Amino acid sequence: MGDAQLVFGWRTALLLLLSVQILTLAGALALQSRNRTANRILAAFLLVLAGVMTPYTIGFAGFYDAWMGLTFAPLALPLFLAPLLYGYTHALVQGRPPVHWWWHLGPGFAQLTYLSLAFLLPFERKMAWAERVDGPWVTNIVSLGVSAGLVSYSLAALGLLRAYRAGLADQRSDDDRFAARWLARVLAAMGTATLFWIAWQAWQVATGRFDYFEFFWLHLAFGVIGLALGVEGWRHAGLRFEPLSIEAPAPPAERDWAAVGREIERRTRQAGWWREPALSLPGLARLLGTNTGRVSRAINLGLGMNFSAFVNGLRAEGVAEALGERPGADLLDLAFDMGFASKASFNRAFRARFGMAPSQYRRQASDHDFSPPEPKLRRADGTPPPV
């Protein structure tokens, strides 16, 4: 240890506090039974993040000055961070990690192998390697790899979120009940981390400065982002995610999908199936005595809208009709009676169907000269479906 003294200052205290909380959350997530695969991947992400912070946590306290042999200790493995966070998102949506999952983690394992081998070098060779090779070359390659990973996996997660939202709207009438909003927050965290990391690296290159103590702020920011993700991930650990799949029908003959769509609309409206809050595409197909592929084509191609817009449009009409009979009724009570899953989905569907907010419609409906619109569904662009 020589003359070096350990000093536990405020930098070490802050990073240590963050690390302890992050590790505690990682343990709690690993024990969750619902969304088990996803929560364990998030736990692994938090564990890696705590490891990334550890060299600076102990470094600010003087550990590396006291025990220089700690150089290359395989603690900080940032190349794991982006693929693990993407893997968490993928596992939530599809119930499993991405295909060829271990290939995604390959750069992280390569970094682990490199650090482990370098750590085992004799002391003199280790220090020479750190000065001549690792500092000038390897560190910059790793930084570029982290940047590329954060950018590419953020874009991949964005595509996954868009596909999940579109799939929900195509298969569920209660799509707001599922956890797309939490996925959007995960994506926002990935984006924030990406921007912060790239901005930091650009500042380092532009100024040519490398101040060990300035890296405290980078690791503090990542620690705060990780803690927020851990807390919210634990709070959302049991959220519902809908497995999305549509049965593949045999290649269909040419059909008049507009006519099929109108028939499905007529039967759905007449039977009142749209009032079932959890109505799904497979559920409607069973009620109609057909397959999901046919119903999906009829609604998308024939009526020009997704499943959620179709069913929630009928519900909006139900609310409007009820307002004509009971103008003083509570709007939310009517919405939930008609099958809406949330206030937000009710407001969106009603505005899309009638071009105004429900409260505005009720004010106009109280006028004796008010003529309610004909009960016809509308496409997403506001035009009527084919006739």
Side-chain angles (χ1 to χ4, degrees), residues 192-274:
T192 301
T194 300
L195 291 174
F196 201 97
W197 177 268
I198 292 176
W200 184 270
Q201 298 301 321
W203 180 80
Q204 291 285 315
V205 171
T207 62
R209 294 174 56 182
F210 179 88
D211 187 329
Y212 182 81
F213 287 94
E214 288 179 351
F215 273 75
F216 165 77
W217 301 108
L218 176 65
H219 288 79
L220 179 65
F222 269 73
V224 170
I225 292 171
L227 180 61
L229 266 178
V231 170
E232 290 301 302
W234 179 74
R235 289 182 59 238
H236 293 83
L239 281 180
R240 293 180 62 191
F241 284 84
E242 173 77 353
L244 302 177
S245 62
I246 300 178
E247 66 180 70
E254 287 298 323
R255 293 177 182 268
D256 182 354
W257 290 112
V260 177
R262 290 195 299 273
E263 176 61 15
I264 287 176
E265 176 195 340
R266 182 192 67 77
R267 291 184 61 187
T268 304
R269 188 192 298 276
Q270 188 176 63
W273 294 326
W274 48 271

Side-chain angles (χ1 to χ4, degrees), residues 79 139-149 197 201:
L79 289 175
T139 299
N140 292 329
I141 292 172
V142 170
S143 295
L144 288 173
V146 173
S147 300
W197 177 268
Q201 298 301 321

